[in-house]
Amino acid sequence: ETGVTQTPRHLVMGMTNKKSLKCEQHLGHNAMYWYKQSAKKPLELMFVYSLEERVENNSVPSRFSPECPNSSHLFLHLHTLQPEDSALYLCASSQETFSGNTIYFGEGSWLTVV
Amino acid sequence: AQKVTQAQTEISVVEKEDVTLDCVYETRDTTYYLFWYKQPPSGELVFLIRRNSFDEQNEISGRYSWNFQKSTSSFNFTITASQVVDSAVYFCALREMANSGYALNFGKGTSLLVTP
């Protein structure tokens, strides 16, 4: 059983829809991340939360809105997305944001924007 | 600039062959961390190993072994006696201590196909 779970695993949405991706970590970690994986591109860091406070927003468009209500849960709210936003969105967590900590990933949410 | 280079885009081997996945990194930090992850078709990135810059000892875990050489900035991964279940995309990643933000710098990955 993975320590980081993501729902839904697959999502198809229209460009005018509003949807959310959910992530939960069961590892007792204090830091959580959203990464984006597009075809033929390296994984890109989107957002970082440490103790529920956003510490990095990596130039992500405002149509992506993260929320971290507590250290175990992380959401990514999606609205008015574009087809080029179709990708695998990976949630991850680590003990802290310290660079030596291992980052553990979930199974990802496959998003298709039509 | 790409900090982690995985020059092999795709590798195909027959079961039981040994295979080495190359990883070359670039950093000016003296303290940094290197990682390998495995991504099967399901999508999850599975952590395999973490190595800090001060520990150049090679590591072996079952059929997996890693060769870290600071002199050539390489952190190569070898699978011995490959199996079909090893088929996946493998990512090498670098995390720097200083002035790096919070990002894991990933290479573009090497897709490994092991056929029976």
Side-chain angles (χ1 to χ4, degrees):
Chain A
E1 182 183 329
T2 179
V4 180
T5 56
Q6 292 185 238
T7 55
R9 293 295 320 282
H10 298 270
L11 177 63
V12 179
M13 60 186 288
M15 290 190 283
T16 57
N17 290 161
K18 288 185 180 180
K19 297 285 184 184
S20 296
L21 306 180
K22 178 184 174 182
C23 174
E24 182 174 2
Q25 58 96 0
H26 313 275
L27 301 169
H29 289 166
N30 292 321
M32 296 189 76
Y33 310 77
W34 279 115
Y35 276 81
K36 176 183 178 182
Q37 187 177 24
S38 306
K40 300 184 179 180
K41 275 185 160 185
L43 282 96
E44 304 170 71
L45 177 65
M46 299 175 73
F47 301 104
V48 181
Y49 277 82
S50 176
L51 294 170
E52 302 137 50
E53 178 183 343
R54 192 191 311 179
V55 296
E56 180 145 328
N57 174 351
N58 206 18
S59 302
V60 179
S62 59
R63 57 186 183 269
F64 295 92
S65 174
E67 178 190 1
C68 187
N70 55 62
S71 59
S72 298
H73 293 86
L74 185 65
F75 294 88
L76 188 62
H77 304 300
L78 316 168
H79 64 98
T80 59
L81 295 191
Q82 304 299 311
E84 60 264 29
D85 296 322
S86 298
L88 176 65
Y89 289 85
L90 288 155
C91 175
S93 71
S94 64
Q95 184 60 47
E96 296 170 350
T97 55
F98 167 61
S99 59
N101 288 150
T102 298
I103 296 179
Y104 294 91
F105 288 82
E107 292 179 302
S109 294
W110 295 90
L111 173 66
T112 302
V113 182
V114 297
Chain B
Q2 188 74 19
K3 294 192 176 186
V4 177
T5 301
Q6 295 180 254
Q8 305 147 307
T9 306
E10 295 180 354
I11 300 176
S12 183
V13 300
V14 177
E15 208 169 17
K16 298 184 183 176
E17 285 185 13
D18 299 346
V19 57
T20 296
L21 309 181
D22 298 333
C23 172
V24 174
Y25 62 92
E26 181 182 332
T27 181
R28 292 184 178 181
D29 281 6
T30 55
T31 304
Y32 52 89
Y33 298 83
L34 295 162
F35 302 81
W36 275 95
Y37 288 86
K38 172 183 179 180
Q39 188 175 42
S42 61
E44 180 183 5
L45 273 170
V46 179
F47 165 72
L48 296 178
I49 190 171
R50 178 188 71 184
R51 174 68 69 210
N52 74 56
S53 53
F54 298 107
D55 183 2
E56 284 194 75
Q57 275 201 330
N58 292 330
E59 180 150 341
I60 298 175
S61 177
R63 297 183 297 107
Y64 295 171
S65 62
W66 291 269
N67 183 349
F68 176 30
Q69 294 202 346
K70 287 177 75 170
S71 60
T72 56
S73 297
S74 65
F75 187 40
N76 296 338
F77 173 31
T78 297
I79 302 174
T80 303
S82 60
Q83 299 176 2
V84 172
V85 293
D86 295 327
S87 298
V89 181
Y90 291 86
F91 291 93
C92 180
L94 165 71
R95 209 165 181 204
E96 298 164 294
M97 188 71 169
N99 199 32
S100 64
Y102 301 92
L104 257 181
N105 294 288
F106 283 92
K108 292 186 177 180
T110 297
S111 178
L112 174 65
L113 177 64
V114 182
T115 55

